[in-house]
């Protein structure tokens, strides 16, 4: 059978998105990234649902083929979205040494 579980999940919509990684299993890097997220992103984005706050909820952000804009959720594209801003989202200053942690955390969502 050629249809994989992952593609079925995408077709089924947001209620069936892959679950976020449990916080208890976070690496040190992911824990640091979560703190960066709470300071820089949480006021506008829910991390574990796709429901919108000021911006779209980011559940499964890096596990779906495309972000709300249609762009692929690559680390490069995410870094660009954060540092340069995107549409209604202002640019967010994240220190270069914090960016790998933040990206690691975004991959757990
Ligand atoms: C002041 C509110 C605000 C903050 C803070 C904020 N965002 Fe956003 N974000 C938005 C809004 C609004 C959008 C929708 C932009 C649009 O589509 O015009 C958005 C969109 C996005 C998108 C989707 C981009 C796409 O291509 O569809 C991602 C990913 C994202 N934000 C990540 C982050 C991350 C990570 C942080 C923290 C570093 C962050 N945002 C901080 C408001 C915010």
């Amino acid at each position: 059978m050629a249809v994989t579980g992952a593609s079925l999940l995408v077709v089924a919509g947001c209620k069936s998105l892959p679950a976020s990684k449990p916080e208890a299993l976070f690496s040190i890097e992911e824990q640091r990234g979560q703190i960066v997220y709470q300071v820089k992103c949480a006021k506008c984005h829910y991390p574990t649902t796709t429901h919108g706050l000021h911006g779209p909820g980011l559940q499964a952000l890096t596990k779906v083929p495309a972000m709300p804009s249609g762009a692929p959720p690559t680390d490069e594209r995410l870094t660009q979205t954060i540092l340069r801003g995107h549409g209604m989202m202002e640019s967010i200053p994240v220190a270069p040494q914090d960016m790998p942690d933040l990206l690691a955390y975004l991959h757990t969502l």
Side-chain angles (χ1 to χ4, degrees):
M1 163 140 150
V3 180
T4 65
S7 62
L8 282 175
L9 287 173
V10 171
V11 171
C14 46
K15 289 213 170 80
S16 305
L17 284 171
S20 305
K21 184 172 176 178
E23 287 182 31
L25 302 180
F26 277 10
S27 67
I28 301 289
E29 198 182 29
E30 289 161 354
Q31 286 174 19
R32 285 198 305 248
Q34 184 179 33
I35 294 168
V36 178
Y37 183 90
Q38 279 162 358
V39 175
K40 305 277 185 179
C41 321
K43 66 176 174 179
C44 295
H45 294 284
Y46 291 125
T48 52
T49 156
T50 54
H51 294 292
L53 185 54
H54 298 297
L58 301 183
Q59 187 196 355
L61 178 66
T62 60
K63 297 164 191 161
V64 294
M67 299 192 285
S69 65
T74 58
D75 286 358
E76 191 183 26
R77 182 71 191 216
L78 286 168
T79 304
Q80 203 178 64
T81 299
I82 295 163
L83 296 180
R84 292 195 201 154
H86 167 80
M88 299 281 293
M89 177 173 145
E90 62 199 79
S91 63
I92 311 289
V94 173
Q97 68 270 23
D98 290 341
M99 191 56 86
D101 296 338
L102 178 59
L103 290 170
Y105 171 71
L106 293 177
H107 279 269
T108 70
L109 299 181

